[in-house]
Amino acid sequence: MSIPIRANVAAMTPYTPGKPIAEVQRELGLERVVKLASNENPLGPSPKAIAAVSEAAKGMHVYPDGASFDMRHALAAHFELDAAHFVVANGSDELIHLLGLALLDQPEDEVVVGYPSFVRYDASAHLANCKLVRVPLDSEYRHDLKAMAKVCTANTKILYIANPNNPTGTIMLRDEVKQLLDAVPPNVTVILDEAYYEFASHVPEYPTALEFIREGYSVVGLRTMSKAYGLAGIRVGYGMLPLELADALNRAREPFNVNLLAQVAGVAALSDTDHLERTLQNNMEQGARMVKVLEEVGAKPCLAYANFIWVDFGRATRPIFDALLREGVIVRPGDVLGNENCMRISIGSPDETSFFEHAIRNVMARMIG
């Protein structure tokens, strides 16, 4: 029997996550493995979130609040924006999926993305069986916003900007984004994916979707609690949207799409400014250490505005990735991210940075020698 799966779905490439630590230990017989591949928080989750989840676990037999009332109102108070503008989801990935459902419905519809950027934007276009328009990043691995505006047509429905960009960690500045918003046709919804915005928030010229929404632009902001807040394993994200689009996503989403534990963890983590400050401080200090080491071994790291570093080795990085694995370090090779000569390396704890430094020096010494 042949199951009639839609051709566009059959042609999609499944998302490939970074290798799990346990798998690498089994395969290579290693006692210790450090994972610097998935941009997780090396300090772990907020202690307040752990306590909230522990208490809420007693009520796991009851369905969660289908409207995520507490979290939406916590976000509203935090950002001083009406709660009706917020949609809470099972990670920001779910919001990307829902935006495709709400905005894409014809084969001639277009989604404009930078390349390389986050692969789930491509997936939303493929799933809708519409046209994906990729615009290469510029020579500094930044979005070419002028080129992106030029390719927009009357059929363009969505334009994605990851800011900071994943996998390159580069940012676009306020005036650049505003010029894009003023240049695109009114049929285009610009989506600013700000999954890593906490790590760039110290830059005065760094914009957020929040300010553009307040100015009346057709802009969506996507955020996640997986990175700076350390809740990757529990899956909770949120979007800031114009009211009409927020209503559409609430109609399209699954009932009870955000579980009970994720909701209480999100509320608690949002209030834990101490944990967030420790996270950002660690990221700044260990990122500087990693940049120095990478430069010393002959690589060219980008200036990072996220919790990872995009680094150009000037050669195919798959052999370097394989060699690092044998040293017990998991990173992301560039051939799965759109540039085989580059690599994305998450910023870890002080101990993980030391482990990485030893490993990368060993690997590059062997390759150069």
Side-chain angles (χ1 to χ4, degrees):
M1 182 179 72
S2 178
I3 299 175
I5 296 171
R6 293 167 58 200
N8 57 305
V9 174
M12 292 174 68
T13 302
Y15 179 76
T16 305
K19 274 179 167 287
I21 289 175
E23 179 182 337
V24 175
Q25 288 177 315
R26 286 194 304 269
E27 288 180 355
L28 300 179
L30 297 172
E31 184 173 326
R32 184 183 183 192
V33 172
V34 167
K35 185 180 179 184
L36 301 176
S38 298
N39 309 334
E40 295 148 337
N41 188 328
L43 304 187
S46 155
K48 290 185 178 181
I50 295 173
V53 167
S54 178
E55 179 63 27
K58 301 171 186 175
M60 285 192 294
H61 60 294
V62 177
Y63 282 107
D65 177 359
S68 298
F69 180 92
D70 287 345
M71 186 163 179
R72 286 192 303 107
H73 282 78
L75 291 165
H78 189 77
F79 293 110
E80 299 182 348
L81 185 69
D82 191 277
H85 285 280
F86 292 94
V87 176
V88 183
N90 183 33
S92 56
D93 282 359
E94 185 188 20
L95 291 165
I96 294 169
H97 175 68
L98 291 172
L99 286 161
L101 292 179
L103 296 173
L104 306 171
D105 69 340
Q106 300 295 328
E108 61 269 21
D109 288 346
E110 298 170 352
V111 177
V112 175
V113 300
Y115 185 77
S117 194
F118 188 42
V119 296
R120 297 311 295 172
Y121 312 149
D122 300 26
S124 68
H126 294 319
L127 191 61
N129 201 24
C130 68
K131 184 179 180 182
L132 177 69
V133 182
R134 285 176 168 172
V135 178
L137 303 182
D138 67 17
S139 60
E140 297 179 335
Y141 297 112
R142 301 173 75 239
H143 282 84
D144 188 340
L145 297 188
K146 291 182 178 178
M148 294 177 81
K150 285 180 180 178
V151 302
C152 289
T153 72
N155 292 325
T156 306
K157 297 292 184 68
I158 295 175
L159 187 152
Y160 275 104
I161 304 169
N163 197 32
N165 187 42
N166 179 12
T168 64
T170 50
I171 60 171
M172 307 310 299
L173 303 181
R174 181 173 292 103
D175 287 347
E176 295 171 317
V177 176
K178 193 172 189 307
Q179 288 172 16
L180 171 83
L181 296 176
D182 290 335
V184 298
N187 49 278
V188 178
T189 297
V190 175
I191 301 173
L192 297 177
D193 186 345
E194 299 169 344
Y196 300 92
Y197 98 98
E198 291 91 351
F199 302 103
S201 60
H202 64 285
V203 179
E205 299 84 8
Y206 172 70
T208 68
L210 182 62
E211 61 194 80
F212 295 122
I213 290 172
R214 286 174 174 155
E215 292 176 23
Y217 284 100
S218 181
V219 170
V220 172
L222 303 183
R223 303 276 179 90
T224 182
M225 306 294 286
S226 295
K227 310 303 180 185
Y229 290 97
L231 302 183
I234 210 163
R235 308 304 296 129
V236 59
Y238 60 95
M240 299 174 286
L241 309 96
L243 293 176
E244 183 179 8
L245 190 50
D247 177 71
L249 264 60
N250 278 318
R251 294 172 186 270
R253 68 176 173 80
E254 296 287 338
F256 310 115
N257 63 320
V258 183
N259 72 71
L260 168 69
L261 304 185
Q263 289 186 40
V264 299
V267 171
L270 195 66
S271 72
D272 195 345
T273 55
D274 289 342
H275 183 263
L276 179 60
E277 288 174 5
R278 287 194 299 271
T279 295
L280 299 183
Q281 184 66 30
N282 176 80
N283 196 72
M284 186 173 296
E285 292 173 357
Q286 302 314 310
R289 284 183 64 191
M290 291 181 73
V291 165
K292 184 174 183 291
V293 170
L294 289 164
E295 289 175 339
E296 288 174 354
V297 299
K300 295 180 179 179
C302 278
L303 183 61
Y305 295 97
N307 65 343
F308 57 84
I309 296 171
W310 180 248
V311 53
D312 189 339
F313 282 86
R315 65 174 80 183
T317 57
R318 178 59 68 166
I320 301 173
F321 166 81
D322 291 335
L324 282 171
L325 268 187
R326 291 191 290 273
E327 293 278 341
V329 177
I330 310 170
V331 296
R332 288 287 266 177
D335 55 0
V336 300
L337 298 173
N339 188 323
E340 67 173 9
N341 289 343
C342 293
M343 182 179 286
R344 193 191 72 191
I345 307 169
S346 302
I347 296 171
S349 66
D351 180 57
E352 288 170 335
T353 304
S354 297
F355 194 86
F356 167 78
E357 179 177 356
H358 178 77
I360 193 67
R361 290 192 188 280
N362 284 347
V363 167
M364 298 309 293
R366 288 197 300 268
M367 289 188 170
I368 294 171

